[in-house]
Amino acid sequence: MPMNRKVIIGFILLVVLGIIGSAGVIIYKKFAPSSIQRPMSEQYKLGQEEVLVILNGRPLEEKGRLIQDVVYVPVSLASDSMNERIYWDEKENILSLATSGGLVTVNTEDSMRYMLGKESTASEYQLLYEDGDKVFVAMDFVEKFSRINYKREKDPNRITVQADFEQLNTFASLAGDIRLRVGPNKKYDYLLELSSGQEVMIETNASPENEYQKIYTLDGIEGYVPAEYLTDKKEKAWETDKQEDVFTQMKVDGGVCLGWHQMTYEMGSAELDAKVSHASSLNVVSPTWFALSDNKGNFTSLAKEEYVTAAHAKGLKVWGLINDFKKGLSLKKLLGRTSSRTTLINNLVTTAMRYKLDGINIDFEKITKDTAPAYLEFLRELVLQCHANGIVVSVDDYLPTEGTAYYNWAEQGKIADYVIFMAYDEHYAGSEKCGSVSSLPFVNNGVDLGLKYVPEERTVVALPFYTRRWKTKKNDKVEGTPEVYGMNSAEVMLQNNGAAKTWDESTGQYYSEFKWQGFVYKIWLEEETSLDKKLEAVYSKGVAGVAFWKLGFERPVTWTTISKYVKK
């Protein structure tokens, strides 16, 4: 073969090999995984004093602060997500934290110490840190009084906090060694080398992308791994060995059988005798004595020592009721400010002790979503003060609904001695449609729902001695305000109008209607037969007792029915 031909062939081979090599490089670059490790400082761009917060396995946008080697988080974050008992008074700059061991308070003026009851304790670090109009609280302080898991990590500076021990998360084990990448593809840079068998948490709100799944390491670094590497998946909640802080309950021996005694003026022993002479099973009477009068912690009082003495002589405990019915009140101002909240609590406890009351019954019915946190803090602090003086605290609530979840019945059930669910006003004075005040299904379903939040031993169910007569026209449209009737007066009204009553199986009550002057009048009766069915249902659920609104609306024979279930 001529030399020049060999040269040409060799040259061609070199070119082909070059092309193949270049193509290989291109193909490799296209399909080979990235081997670049991205620095944590580049992935997590934190300011000099910022700390990443990993809450229940997931990083938050809101950052903490690192000041003189002490980690701080916003007070709002600590209260909303770590310990709901942390209450921040933004007007008076006081942090309150009610514990079963006493009330903890810190203020910004001297945040190198905290008060536990009347005892002052010095701190080695500043407990509260202010940055402009934002207030932060030290995480070590939060951990001391909270049911949380807390750990500090570096690179990046971060903390991991687990505070939700009920919500289920999806965890998995890695099937092999793999790199945690910043995006859903092997071409993305990687952050960490993960080991075979390592447990990670799967982000279930994100679907796999390019066959990669978003995950979190247990120390809070997020990234992506091939979905096929995630094995042995399981649903579980975070775990802790810390016990929930539940206030000790002051119990009524034998359970509660309470009757509310409505008052509009001072009443003595004679009026009490008239109301309870046939109430053989009654062991608690709750006179409606107190009413909030302003936003500073004051209230009006109809209390009378003679009444309490007479009640005690009959073996009855006295729980004075306080309501929030006065127009113009601002519960946000009253309960939200530490000074006025404390004044109200001190006034209540002082009054209870003066009149030798056995308990206080809270009947606040104007709670809104905005005022609920302050209301709950009021209950916590009231219970602490009352228990220190041997006084029982009960709280009145309507049956739970989705729209009133802010009442936080679960928290009430951990602090109040008794949560009284008012199983009436199914159809109330302002209802557009007429109906029963307290049907059997309404009571049954409502109490079942209440017991999901409040333990049986702290649950009392209130039933009505009253009903409403509805005035209707076409299409059952309600005309005017329905009239309230007690048991006897309802029967007399039906007799006077020649109206018969029939049993309504769907409501577990007698029903009656009659026509007069172009209107149809309808009523679902509250009487002994329907009450018997409600009592049977209520006591089958193992609750701590019953209550009745109101004394004087029942009949003597009503107490014979009640005594079948309640033994004094």
Side-chain angles (χ1 to χ4, degrees):
M1 180 183 296
M3 183 61 67
N4 56 351
R5 187 177 178 186
K6 290 181 179 181
V7 171
I8 293 171
I9 292 174
F11 176 76
I12 292 172
L13 288 173
L14 287 173
V15 171
V16 170
L17 290 173
I19 293 172
I20 293 173
S22 298
V25 170
I26 293 172
I27 292 171
Y28 178 79
K29 287 183 177 181
K30 182 176 180 180
F31 294 102
S34 170
S35 60
I36 300 174
Q37 183 174 18
R38 182 176 295 184
M40 288 293 182
S41 59
E42 182 180 332
Q43 179 69 5
Y44 296 96
K45 294 180 173 60
L46 298 173
Q48 186 175 358
E49 294 181 342
E50 285 188 326
V51 175
L52 187 65
V53 180
I54 315 298
L55 180 64
N56 298 317
R58 293 174 171 84
L60 303 180
E61 289 187 11
E62 196 166 19
K63 304 296 190 295
R65 296 284 190 275
L66 183 61
I67 310 295
Q68 296 181 351
D69 203 38
V70 177
V71 174
Y72 296 84
V73 295
V75 167
S76 57
L77 174 60
S79 176
D80 292 342
S81 304
M82 299 179 190
N83 187 340
E84 65 181 343
R85 292 185 184 169
I86 294 174
Y87 183 79
W88 175 246
D89 178 352
E90 62 182 12
K91 297 295 184 182
E92 298 180 357
N93 295 322
I94 298 175
L95 182 148
S96 300
L97 203 171
T99 74
S100 58
L103 178 64
V104 178
T105 56
V106 189
N107 64 68
T108 55
E109 292 181 1
D110 184 12
S111 66
M112 291 298 294
R113 64 179 59 251
Y114 65 89
M115 300 294 295
L116 176 54
K118 296 181 180 180
E119 183 178 341
S120 176
T121 300
S123 171
E124 296 179 354
Y125 52 87
Q126 191 174 334
L127 300 172
L128 297 175
Y129 164 72
E130 295 180 274
D131 184 3
D133 59 354
K134 201 164 190 177
V135 178
F136 294 76
V137 58
M139 269 305 302
D140 287 345
F141 178 73
V142 174
E143 181 190 33
K144 182 180 180 69
F145 296 102
S146 304
R147 186 174 181 247
I148 61 172
N149 300 328
Y150 164 57
K151 190 176 181 181
R152 287 180 61 175
E153 304 281 357
K154 292 185 178 180
D155 194 24
N157 279 331
R158 65 193 188 280
I159 59 171
T160 59
V161 180
Q162 287 113 39
D164 189 340
F165 304 106
E166 296 182 2
Q167 178 66 44
L168 296 178
N169 300 291
T170 304
F171 294 84
S173 296
L174 295 177
D177 296 343
I178 193 67
R179 287 174 170 172
L180 180 70
R181 300 192 177 276
V182 300
N185 191 298
K186 64 184 178 181
K187 301 302 294 180
Y188 284 94
D189 297 346
Y190 75 93
L191 292 169
L192 294 171
E193 300 273 6
L194 303 181
S195 302
S196 178
Q198 183 172 337
E199 188 176 32
V200 296
M201 189 176 86
I202 298 174
E203 177 51 87
T204 52
N205 293 324
S207 301
E209 186 178 350
N210 301 324
E211 299 182 346
Y212 270 68
Q213 176 66 56
K214 185 175 182 179
I215 59 107
Y216 305 94
T217 64
L218 298 191
D219 59 0
I221 303 300
E222 64 179 303
Y224 295 80
V225 297
E228 62 182 348
Y229 274 71
L230 299 171
T231 62
D232 192 25
K233 296 179 183 178
K234 60 185 67 175
E235 300 284 318
K236 63 180 183 179
W238 295 102
E239 297 178 352
T240 183
D241 56 2
K242 295 184 177 181
Q243 298 299 310
E244 203 166 26
D245 188 24
V246 177
F247 291 15
T248 301
Q249 182 186 15
M250 288 184 61
K251 294 184 177 181
V252 174
D253 292 339
V256 174
C257 182
L258 177 149
W260 279 292
H261 187 178
Q262 186 179 27
M263 296 188 182
T264 55
Y265 58 90
E266 285 189 6
M267 295 183 182
S269 58
E271 290 85 356
L272 175 67
D273 288 341
K275 294 297 182 185
V276 304
S277 58
H278 297 286
S280 56
S281 301
L282 195 73
N283 63 0
V284 180
V285 62
S286 181
T288 61
W289 271 342
F290 311 121
L292 294 176
S293 58
D294 59 31
N295 298 323
K296 298 178 181 180
N298 299 304
F299 51 85
T300 58
S301 173
L302 297 173
K304 198 169 185 179
E305 191 171 347
E306 172 194 337
Y307 183 99
V308 180
T309 301
H312 285 167
K314 296 176 182 296
L316 299 174
K317 297 185 183 297
V318 182
W319 293 358
L321 177 148
I322 182 167
N323 68 51
D324 63 342
F325 300 164
K326 180 181 172 64
K327 292 182 179 180
L329 288 174
S330 171
L331 292 181
K332 189 171 184 178
K333 289 181 180 179
L334 170 58
L335 304 180
R337 290 178 181 266
T338 304
S339 56
S340 53
R341 184 174 67 248
T342 301
T343 297
L344 173 59
I345 292 170
N346 289 341
N347 286 344
L348 277 172
V349 174
T350 299
T351 301
M353 294 175 67
R354 174 188 172 188
Y355 289 98
K356 298 181 177 60
L357 302 184
D358 306 285
I360 295 174
N361 178 231
I362 305 300
D363 188 30
F364 289 1
E365 299 182 20
K366 296 182 180 179
I367 307 301
T368 64
K369 190 173 183 179
D370 289 340
T371 59
Y375 172 61
L376 290 166
E377 182 60 20
F378 160 70
L379 292 180
R380 297 182 192 107
E381 295 180 18
L382 176 65
V383 170
L384 290 175
Q385 282 266 45
C386 283
H387 282 192
N389 293 281
I391 301 167
V392 172
V393 176
S394 59
V395 185
D396 301 337
D397 286 300
Y398 283 112
L399 292 174
T401 65
E402 289 184 8
T404 56
Y406 54 82
Y407 271 83
N408 199 339
W409 309 286
E411 175 67 356
Q412 289 188 34
K414 296 170 189 173
I415 55 177
D417 296 304
Y418 294 101
V419 175
I420 303 178
F421 284 114
M422 299 181 288
Y424 41 75
D425 276 358
E426 178 181 2
H427 293 83
Y428 55 96
S431 293
E432 294 181 0
K433 292 186 177 181
C434 60
S436 170
V437 165
S438 179
S439 69
L440 183 59
F442 175 75
V443 173
N444 247 326
N445 298 334
V447 175
D448 284 343
L449 186 55
L451 288 171
K452 289 183 179 180
Y453 302 99
V454 181
E456 296 172 357
E457 65 271 16
R458 295 183 188 240
T459 298
V460 172
V461 180
L463 299 171
F465 285 155
Y466 72 94
T467 187
R468 290 188 170 94
R469 187 189 72 176
W470 305 85
K471 180 181 179 182
T472 69
K473 251 190 174 180
K474 294 181 179 179
N475 302 320
D476 279 347
K477 182 180 178 182
V478 176
E479 298 286 333
T481 301
E483 292 186 52
V484 174
Y485 285 84
M487 292 183 177
N488 265 339
S489 59
E491 296 279 2
V492 171
M493 180 269 297
L494 291 179
Q495 291 172 11
N496 291 340
N497 287 279
K501 60 184 180 181
T502 57
W503 182 255
D504 178 17
E505 195 66 40
S506 65
T507 60
Q509 293 173 284
Y510 283 104
Y511 168 78
S512 183
E513 67 175 54
F514 61 89
K515 294 180 180 179
W516 188 59
Q517 294 185 346
F519 295 98
V520 177
Y521 292 85
K522 301 183 177 185
I523 190 169
W524 286 259
L525 295 173
E526 295 293 340
E527 44 69 60
E528 289 74 30
T529 305
S530 61
L531 180 60
D532 185 278
K533 290 184 176 297
K534 291 171 191 172
L535 287 169
E536 182 181 19
V538 166
Y539 273 99
S540 71
K541 302 177 191 298
V543 300
V546 289
F548 301 98
W549 180 267
K550 63 179 179 172
L551 293 175
F553 271 2
E554 82 282 23
R555 301 181 275 218
V557 70
T558 307
W559 289 101
T560 303
T561 300
I562 296 171
S563 65
K564 290 170 56 179
Y565 301 93
V566 180
K567 305 297 181 184
K568 187 171 180 180

